[in-house]
Every structure is written in C-alpha cells, then in structure tokens.
Amino acid sequence: MAQFYDAIIIGSGPAGMAAAFYLLLAGHDVTVFERDPAPGGMLRYGIPQYRLPKVEVLEAEYESVTRLGGKVVCDQALGRDFTLDDLQHQGYDAVLLAIGCYDTNKLGIPGEDATEVLDGLEYLRTATLALPYPGHAGKRGVVIGGGFTSMDCSRTSVRQGAAEVTLVYRRDMKSMPAANGAYEELHAALEDGVTAIFQAGPTRVITDDEGTVTGVEFIRMQLGEPDASGRRRPEPAKGTEFTIPCDRVLLAIGQGPDLSWVGPGSGGIEEARHRLKADAVTFSTGREGVFGAGDVRIGASTVVEAVAEGRRAAYA
C-alpha cells in the first residue's frame, strides 16, 4: 500500500519547483517556502524579462504546481522566519533544501567596497522588478565576469540606458562559461553594443577623494598551466596594467549559496566547499529527514541541471 508524506520544500527556483511537481504527481502533500515576494527564484529574479517572460512563460509553468494542490508561501526565509527545528517539530516528514546560489563572490581588491560597485545578481533583481536601477541611464559601466550573469548584466545595462558597457573577462573567449555551447549569448551582447575585453583581470577600483568610482585598473593575463577544472590558469603579466574609465561596476564573477544559517545547532547539516553537503544519489544531508538539491548542492549551474536535480531528489 502506498505511503504518502507531507513535504516542505525551501526555495521555489527550478530545483525546488521541479521537486514539488514530481512529489505532487506521486500523491504527496507539498508546501513550498520562498524568501522573495513571488515564486521563481533565479528564474524570476536572475534571468531578465527579455530572455524569460515572467507572465507568459514562468507563471504559466508554475500554475502546474498549484493546480496539483501544492501550496506556495512567500516572504518566508530559512534562518530569518523559521528554522529546520520549527518545521520538523510541526510534523513534516521531509524537508528539501533548494535555496540556490545568491551570494556573489568578491574580487578581493582595493576599492571594491565603493558605492558604485554593485552585486550583479542584485542589479538584475532590481531590473526584473521593473525598477530602473537608480541613475543607471548615461553611466559608463564595466561588467567583470564571463558567465551568463555577466551577459545578462551587460545586455540589461544597455537596455537601461547605459552610455557605455565594457565586459572584461580574465580568460580568453573560448574559455568563457557563457560561450560553452552558447556563443550566441556573447554575440548577442556584442550586437547590443557591448565591448568585450579578454584576458584581463582587475587589480583595483579607482575612486576620487569623495569615494566616487572613476575607473577600474586591470592587468593583462596570460594563460598558464591547466587548473583543477582543466582550463588553463590565467596569470598576470607584469607591466601590462591599464585603466578603463567608468562610473559603475557590476560584479558577475560567480556565486555561492547563503549558508550563514549552518552552525552547531543545525543538527548534522554540514557545509563542504561552500556548498550544502548532500549525497549525490539519495540527496540526504547529515540530518534525518532533510535533503538538499540544486545549486545549493552542486554549485551554480544551468536551469536544466537544476530541474534534473529536483526531479531526482523527488524520487529519492
């Protein structure tokens, strides 16, 4: 005889909602908690409207979960509004952590704490909410990074009226994550008017006496021996420094999950390499009844990979 469960999913991005969909199909009760005002995660707040229409595509897709009986509760964040203890004390049988990767990495260079150095994901979030970023029109922007987030930041900046947008990546073009099977992303950015500079790394953000950004100093990079990922490691070439004048900088150099809630009181939840430690087959964490899937487990990935994680986790 089939046994049915009450499941909580934390995070309504592609991994969380895919898990919800397949759990509902199997007959389980599912409630999804989302920290933002509307469900969607990176699909809603990280991917621009011109690439993923929210009403026509995203909301129509998400209706499949609510029509199957799933409940979505927004403005509820793990560690802020509830804890894992709270959920398990309420009698839920299983909790799936699918909170994604929202913490943008830092450059670790002088001047990056200036006001006009922006988190690329936060910039995209504001743009997705149809709120033009304050004072963005007419700005000379520099976007640092080579992944899909850097492409979205660059192309959104153009759409929001930036006077100039320069994309700078520390490796060569063929090594760009966004160019891995998706050269059209880079080409589309160039067609939009974005300037791309390759094999250059930032050394400092330049500010005036009042702390206003006036430019970014870079150094040319030469490709050395392969790193752990198999790509040749970029190394600075001495004496090749140059400056790009700008008044706004967008950081898009990768992101990781917010695991600030993990600690001695987490009941066996562990962090490994700045990711949630969960089994690759069972998706179980070190805490009974708690599972992890999606970017929080495997690191920042594609939507398709996140959906696959959610589906496999539902079966597990």
Side-chain angles (χ1 to χ4, degrees), residues 46 52 89 141 150 158-159 181-182 248 282 297:
L52 178 61
H89 289 160
S150 69
V158 172
R159 285 162 171 76
R248 179 158 284 176
T282 66
R297 188 187 78 83

Side-chain angles (χ1 to χ4, degrees), residues 56-260:
E56 300 89 334
V57 178
L58 183 62
E59 292 182 8
E61 284 284 326
Y62 272 35
E63 279 184 14
S64 61
V65 169
T66 54
R67 286 183 177 183
L68 285 171
K71 297 182 286 291
V72 180
V73 182
C74 295
D75 290 316
Q76 291 293 308
L78 176 64
R80 183 189 71 193
D81 302 300
F82 62 88
T83 66
L84 293 177
D85 286 340
D86 294 334
L87 298 179
Q88 293 191 306
H89 289 160
Q90 291 173 35
Y92 291 104
D93 300 302
V95 177
L96 175 65
L97 298 168
I99 56 176
C101 290
Y102 285 89
D103 279 2
T104 297
N105 297 333
K106 299 297 183 183
L107 292 170
I109 61 174
E112 73 171 316
D113 56 349
T115 303
E116 293 296 325
V117 178
L118 308 178
D119 179 324
L121 288 177
E122 187 59 31
Y123 167 72
L124 291 174
R125 172 186 168 85
T126 303
T128 299
L129 292 170
L131 301 173
Y133 212 93
H136 201 74
K139 291 286 187 180
R140 296 171 301 166
V142 167
V143 180
I144 300 175
F148 286 106
T149 300
S150 69
M151 298 299 154
D152 290 340
C153 285
S154 299
R155 300 185 67 192
T156 300
S157 291
V158 172
R159 285 162 171 76
Q160 291 209 326
E164 299 174 9
V165 180
T166 303
L167 172 70
V168 185
Y169 181 53
R170 62 181 184 148
R171 301 179 188 267
D172 59 12
M173 186 174 72
K174 66 181 181 181
S175 300
M176 295 181 76
N180 183 16
Y183 278 101
E184 63 273 13
E185 282 292 323
L186 175 59
H187 294 163
L190 298 177
E191 289 177 1
D192 281 346
V194 175
T195 299
I197 297 176
F198 300 100
Q199 289 186 234
T203 56
R204 65 187 177 106
V205 176
I206 303 170
T207 58
D208 60 19
D209 292 339
E210 297 178 354
T212 302
V213 172
T214 61
V216 181
E217 182 184 86
F218 292 88
I219 188 169
R220 295 289 180 183
M221 309 294 281
Q222 53 194 8
L223 298 181
E225 295 300 314
D227 60 16
S229 69
R231 295 187 296 173
R232 295 175 64 188
R233 182 183 292 107
E235 300 171 348
K238 293 182 179 180
T240 61
E241 292 85 357
F242 66 98
T243 299
I244 299 178
C246 67
D247 35 35
R248 179 158 284 176
V249 182
L250 299 179
L251 302 184
I253 54 173
Q255 59 262 9
D258 177 8
L259 298 176
S260 58

Side-chain angles (χ1 to χ4, degrees), residues 12 33-42 44-45 73-77 80 102 125:
S12 67
F33 283 166
E34 169 57 48
R35 70 170 191 172
D36 287 317
M42 201 64 76
R44 182 179 296 275
Y45 296 105
V73 182
C74 295
D75 290 316
Q76 291 293 308
R80 183 189 71 193
Y102 285 89
R125 172 186 168 85

Side-chain angles (χ1 to χ4, degrees), residues 9-24:
I9 294 174
I10 304 175
S12 67
M17 290 302 264
F21 178 78
Y22 288 104
L23 285 169
L24 288 163

